[in-house]
Amino acid sequence: MAGAAEPKQDVFQAIADPTRRRLLRLLDGGEQPVTALSGHFPISRTAVSKHLRILQDAGLVHERKVGRETRYRLDAEPLLELKRWLAYYERYWENKLGALKRFVEDEEAAE
Amino acid sequence: MAGAAEPKQDVFQAIADPTRRRLLRLLDGGEQPVTALSGHFPISRTAVSKHLRILQDAGLVHERKVGRETRYRLDAEPLLELKRWLAYYERYWENKLGALKRFVEDEEAAE
DNA sequence: TTGACGCGAAACCTTAAGGTTTCATATAAT
DNA sequence: ATTATATGAAACCTTAAGGTTTCGCGTCAA
């Protein structure tokens, strides 16, 4: 079967930009067209559009044309690579930072 | 008490560069001086030194002068921010991507 | 059909990122 | 004392990143 294909852009790179991280969050609320998204930023629609392209090249979002608009949808799957990368360092805070770990978990629970 | 201080550089930004991610991995083996580290890269020692400074500004490494050398040590703690950010999307692969999740876990186990 | 809307492509600008080489300084070794 | 090591600061170069504005095209509404 087809399988992997998309790695045109690095995930780490893609999420490095705060605007792009925010876009992902916004899309968490569901599929949305470009203009709706760009309304949340102080930059031009075109600029937002470019960020969306980068996210798409990293496989984090997918577009779908509906009439005259292009709707973007979140795809969290590529974040698993990040999760795996992070897992490598997991032991650091499991072994040495027990107290801190508990603190963070409390934070997570409280959110 | 003192507490937080360092966020001179964004963690997401810091780990966006592959060279820097590799430096973190190398430091996982323990404290090391600049020259030892730079031996693993095709770039100049000075360039590596700059990457180390960026990692340090993000709190991911700490330096310690020993004689004429500067030894760098890994500090994984700032990665917790990344972990928390990621946790937000956790449900995506927990709810919708069960099969994929299992696949990845197998991958992790096999590694 | 005539507009208005929604969007991407192009061309262009500015600045930050990643690199390099050269130089100065502190510490170690002879 | 002299020489060799280890490293950061400076100055500089090139390219990619993030933005902007202008333009063209397909689509929906009057």
Side-chain angles (χ1 to χ4, degrees):
Chain A
M1 51 209 74
E6 321 136 17
K8 269 179 60 188
Q9 271 270 339
D10 180 41
V11 179
F12 290 89
Q13 235 282 104
I15 64 162
D17 185 280
T19 297
R20 289 197 287 269
R21 288 200 297 276
R22 217 172 137 206
L23 276 170
L24 293 180
R25 275 294 184 101
L26 287 170
L27 286 173
D28 181 54
E31 191 184 60
Q32 285 185 53
V34 181
T35 302
L37 290 168
S38 80
H40 296 81
F41 302 89
I43 63 180
S44 73
R45 175 186 50 76
T46 307
V48 172
S49 196
K50 282 195 202 168
H51 281 301
L52 286 167
R53 155 109 32 235
I54 291 173
L55 288 173
Q56 179 166 256
D57 288 347
L60 287 165
V61 303
H62 294 291
E63 65 174 52
R64 168 180 151 236
K65 306 257 182 186
V66 176
R68 59 185 159 185
E69 57 186 29
T70 306
R71 300 195 187 147
Y72 285 86
R73 166 178 62 79
L74 172 64
D75 180 356
E77 192 274 340
L79 293 180
L80 285 172
E81 183 188 347
L82 187 53
K83 185 182 168 65
R84 291 191 53 197
W85 181 81
L86 205 52
Y88 187 88
Y89 300 94
E90 199 90 24
R91 60 198 168 75
Y92 276 94
W93 49 80
E94 286 197 340
N95 295 339
K96 304 178 188 171
L97 303 169
L100 183 56
K101 184 191 176 196
R102 265 171 266 123
F103 168 75
V104 172
E105 281 169 346
D106 286 352
E107 289 285 279
E108 285 174 348
E111 199 169 4
Chain B
M1 53 208 73
E6 319 138 17
K8 268 180 60 187
Q9 270 270 340
D10 179 42
V11 178
F12 290 90
Q13 234 286 101
I15 64 163
D17 186 281
T19 298
R20 289 195 288 268
R21 287 199 297 276
R22 219 173 134 205
L23 277 171
L24 293 181
R25 275 296 184 101
L26 286 171
L27 287 174
D28 180 53
E31 191 183 60
Q32 285 184 54
V34 181
T35 301
L37 290 169
S38 81
H40 296 81
F41 302 89
I43 63 181
S44 73
R45 176 186 51 74
T46 307
V48 171
S49 196
K50 282 195 202 171
H51 281 300
L52 286 168
R53 155 111 28 236
I54 291 173
L55 288 172
Q56 180 166 257
D57 288 345
L60 287 164
V61 303
H62 295 290
E63 64 174 53
R64 170 181 149 236
K65 307 256 184 187
V66 175
R68 59 185 158 184
E69 58 187 27
T70 305
R71 298 194 189 149
Y72 285 87
R73 166 177 62 80
L74 172 63
D75 179 357
E77 192 273 341
L79 293 180
L80 284 173
E81 183 188 346
L82 187 52
K83 185 182 169 64
R84 291 192 55 197
W85 181 83
L86 205 52
Y88 186 88
Y89 299 95
E90 199 92 22
R91 60 198 168 76
Y92 275 95
W93 49 79
E94 286 198 339
N95 296 338
K96 304 178 187 171
L97 303 169
L100 182 57
K101 184 190 176 197
R102 263 171 269 121
F103 168 75
V104 172
E105 282 170 345
D106 286 354
E107 290 285 279
E108 285 173 351
E111 196 171 4

